[in-house]
Amino acid sequence: MASIDYNERIPNNVDLAENRRLLRALEDWQPKFLEWWKDMGPEGFQAKEVYLRTAISVDAKGWAQFDYTRMPEYRWGIFLAEPEPGRQINFGDHQGQPAWQEVPGEYRGTLRRLIVTQGDTEPASVEQQRHLGRTCPSLYDLRNLFQVNVEEGRHLWAMVYILDAHFGRDGREESEALLQRRSGDHDKPRILGAFNERTPDWLSFFMFCFFTDRDGKYQLASLAESGFDPLSRTCRFMLTEEAHHMFVGESGVGRIVQRACEIMREHKTDDVRRHGAVDLPTIQKYINFHCSVSLDLFGSEVSTNAANFYTMGLKGRFEETKKKDDHRLKDGTYTVATLAGDKIITREEGALVSLNERLRDDYIADCQRGVNRWNEIIKSHGIDFTLTLPHRGFRRAIGAFAEVKVSPDGRVIGEAEWDARHRDWLPTEEDQAYVGSLMQPVTERGRVANWIAPPARGVNGQAADFEYVRLG
Ligand code: BYC
């Protein structure tokens, strides 16, 4: 295994020292990245020491080293999963050919666009979360936020490495542009819709980690199947980090659910707001919002772009190599939800053009497993309430359902019903103001805000009252 050369400014396992041209490009980009991090990264905590996990190698032992670090000094490195000897392209028109080690010329533009779209989400999420440190519910949560942030920063490095190493001058221009777009900016927005939304409070943050980072998992898993080997290896290593982000989301929402249930039981009331917790119907509204925003990230149900990415061998299916079919999909069909007048029906579409919907199906099933675990918490308190995912057509801005209004239970409805009911389905200004009012920072060691249960265990085996961030 190639070890990481810490004498270099950029830790890596890609033999950077041997490639002076690439090293220079990245060393030129690094100060711009740090400037962006200072401007748009976590506000107010740049000089504090944080108990962070840093990857120092890609093997099981070395990728998770814990120590105190100031975020601007975090060692954002470039790590690719180990090469698979003799790896082939496993799907599409080039199936059976050796995996590409260099960009296939005819697909250069398409591949670059996929990588830029993926790369753009990483700094966007850091921008969206930059104010949250000020209102953390505990030092444990503050540390987890920063861990997520530095790793999104590393994922940006991962994509910039691919652009700089394999796309020459236009790659370097795209790397610069990734630092210039801004989440929510009117003139220079981030590329995908969800990454221009606000993340104003910690309930939104946990929902984002649960729903939006999970889109990341499925998109990265599809890119990990790519016939372009450097992209595949980069994404495989990114996925190891992504798992922690979804843990932060699922356990964060789970702890808020738990606190609501404890207060319901203790005070024999549904009105937990009076006791400073978040009520289950409000949590449901946040689920509806974040799930629908994230469903849009999979693109249209029927997409020739998706078919082309697959046929070209650039982006596979989730767990492509485990599937038992011809991996070309020219003849197969897939069941896709669509509109027929004011009814939602399913229809057989070509398997190739349905790849976005297939990935969305995998994603929804995974989300449902997490929601089931939240419902277990509710059930264990003897409370009769079930959290649900909204119907896939609810509040969509991309794809077949973008033109109509759909209720969370999957009925196409008119404007009048939407106007009358949407306040029951989505966070209202009052809901947001209430959740916002709970966001008072708790930074004493071992203490946790009243609206969220303490974590089940500490980070890396540390105690609950461990000093996860040194604020002194
Ligand atoms: N917003 O054929 P269509 C993550 C555009 S998250 C705005 O339906 P396609 C992370 C589309 O570009 C994972 N525009 O879609 C999570 C196209 O434009 P053109 C990010 C959208 O191309 C948390 C047109 O509509 N990774 O890592 O099959 C924290 C028709 O498109 C949207 C990726 O996304 C949208 N939501 O699929 C940190 C993977 N959806 O061609 C990180 C790379 C579609 O008409 N990207 N459009 O100009 C892709 O695979 C594809 O670009 C998409 C879209 C799946 C996103």
Side-chain angles (χ1 to χ4, degrees):
M1 198 204 79
S3 66
I4 287 106
D5 188 355
Y6 271 96
N7 297 322
E8 296 292 342
R9 283 166 61 186
I10 303 161
N12 70 92
N13 70 347
V14 294
D15 282 337
L16 207 48
E18 301 303 307
N19 188 340
R20 302 308 299 175
R21 195 192 52 75
L22 173 62
L23 184 62
R24 269 200 304 279
L26 289 171
E27 283 179 343
D28 181 52
W29 186 80
Q30 187 188 41
K32 296 173 191 158
F33 167 80
L34 281 176
E35 209 163 295
W36 165 83
W37 180 270
K38 248 179 28 222
D39 287 350
M40 297 310 295
E43 192 196 41
F45 294 88
Q46 302 277 352
K48 305 297 180 196
E49 292 186 322
V50 186
Y51 186 67
L52 290 174
R53 173 177 81 177
T54 304
I56 60 161
S57 71
V58 297
D59 57 9
K61 279 195 193 126
W63 76 272
Q65 295 283 318
F66 289 83
D67 207 349
Y68 285 102
T69 314
R70 292 186 184 86
M71 284 183 278
E73 290 158 20
Y74 188 78
R75 308 206 60 158
W76 285 286
I78 297 166
F79 304 102
L80 270 57
E82 290 298 298
E84 268 175 40
R87 182 165 180 266
Q88 297 187 339
I89 300 166
N90 295 314
F91 58 89
D93 283 352
H94 302 279
Q95 189 184 18
Q97 296 172 14
W100 297 297
Q101 298 306 322
E102 291 300 332
V103 174
E106 69 271 42
Y107 303 146
R108 189 185 165 87
T110 309
L111 193 52
R112 191 184 61 207
R113 200 176 117 218
L114 274 173
I115 293 165
V116 167
T117 307
Q118 176 63 49
D120 190 70
T121 63
E122 316 291 358
S125 66
V126 175
E127 292 167 1
Q128 287 171 295
Q129 295 161 15
R130 66 185 300 257
H131 300 296
L132 290 171
R134 299 252 183 239
T135 57
C136 65
S138 71
L139 283 185
Y140 165 90
D141 291 293
L142 185 62
R143 177 264 165 214
N144 279 349
L145 167 71
F146 294 155
Q147 183 71 52
V148 168
N149 292 161
V150 293
E151 285 176 352
E152 300 300 7
R154 207 200 67 71
H155 291 180
L156 171 60
W157 271 91
M159 291 299 121
V160 163
Y161 161 73
I162 300 278
L163 288 169
D164 282 5
H166 295 281
F167 290 87
R169 187 163 152 192
D170 13 321
R172 290 195 294 279
E173 283 170 10
E174 294 285 11
S175 299
E176 303 253 326
L178 285 167
L179 296 175
Q180 283 157 8
R181 286 185 289 273
R182 291 284 181 272
S183 175
D185 188 284
H186 190 265
D187 299 321
K188 284 187 295 181
R190 292 295 175 182
I191 295 170
L192 298 173
F195 296 89
N196 289 302
E197 298 284 349
R198 291 174 63 243
T199 310
D201 56 66
W202 281 75
L203 178 56
S204 303
F205 169 62
F206 292 134
M207 290 286 177
F208 182 96
C209 291
F210 182 87
F211 285 108
T212 309
D213 275 285
R214 194 177 309 274
D215 168 54
K217 167 183 164 182
Y218 280 84
Q219 298 295 345
L220 289 173
S222 304
L223 294 174
E225 302 288 344
S226 182
F228 180 48
D229 205 44
L231 178 63
S232 163
R233 291 173 57 202
T234 296
C235 290
R236 269 183 273 154
F237 186 63
M238 290 163 80
L239 280 165
T240 56
E241 291 161 322
E242 206 65 42
H244 172 255
H245 306 185
M246 281 174 298
F247 161 79
V248 168
E250 182 177 330
S251 60
V253 176
R255 289 160 56 208
I256 299 173
V257 168
Q258 184 182 328
R259 191 69 189 122
C261 294
E262 286 167 2
I263 290 185
M264 283 169 83
R265 253 208 347 202
E266 194 182 323
H267 297 277
K268 301 198 172 26
T269 178
D270 288 344
D271 185 11
V272 299
R273 286 195 184 189
R274 273 202 331 174
H275 303 278
V278 187
D279 47 293
L280 298 176
T282 299
I283 294 174
Q284 178 64 59
K285 291 181 184 184
Y286 276 73
I287 291 175
N288 293 346
F289 177 81
H290 287 273
C291 183
S292 59
V293 165
S294 303
L295 288 175
D296 271 342
L297 291 171
F298 291 83
S300 305
E301 292 76 7
V302 176
S303 163
T304 50
N305 280 349
N308 290 337
F309 299 155
Y310 188 86
T311 304
M312 293 169 176
L314 304 180
K315 182 181 175 190
R317 286 171 293 177
F318 182 64
E319 299 188 327
E320 179 70 43
T321 45
K322 290 192 188 160
K323 296 194 192 298
K324 301 245 176 301
D325 55 26
D326 70 356
H327 302 279
R328 290 188 183 238
L329 308 181
K330 299 226 193 261
D331 304 320
T333 61
Y334 192 78
T335 309
V336 171
T338 191
L339 271 182
D342 62 354
K343 291 266 174 307
I344 296 174
I345 59 162
T346 56
R347 199 165 58 205
E348 292 301 304
E349 290 283 353
L352 269 179
V353 291
S354 309
L355 285 168
N356 284 345
E357 188 68 349
R358 184 191 291 250
L359 194 61
R360 190 166 15 241
D361 284 343
D362 291 333
Y363 167 83
I364 290 172
D366 200 25
C367 289
Q368 186 61 55
R369 287 189 283 272
V371 173
N372 292 348
R373 287 189 286 270
W374 295 336
N375 283 328
E376 285 301 316
I377 298 172
I378 301 175
K379 220 164 95 193
S380 73
H381 286 79
I383 292 167
D384 182 21
F385 191 99
T386 306
L387 295 167
T388 55
L389 293 175
H391 186 272
R392 73 180 68 220
F394 176 69
R395 204 185 155 275
R396 291 287 301 282
I398 302 277
F401 304 106
E403 302 304 318
V404 291
K405 298 276 192 278
V406 176
S407 62
D409 60 1
R411 289 172 300 113
V412 178
I413 57 175
E415 291 289 336
E417 184 172 355
W418 177 265
D419 289 347
R421 299 292 310 279
H422 75 267
R423 292 172 58 84
D424 300 335
W425 297 332
L426 291 165
T428 61
E429 277 166 26
E430 292 78 32
D431 294 327
Q432 291 174 57
Y434 174 69
V435 172
S437 76
L438 300 176
M439 300 296 125
Q440 305 298 329
V442 175
T443 54
E444 285 160 48
R445 285 171 64 167
R447 262 197 64 207
V448 178
N450 176 61
W451 52 268
I452 183 166
R457 66 190 71 80
V459 176
N460 192 32
Q462 299 292 358
D465 64 351
F466 184 74
E467 192 173 18
Y468 287 107
V469 183
R470 288 178 174 151
L471 295 177

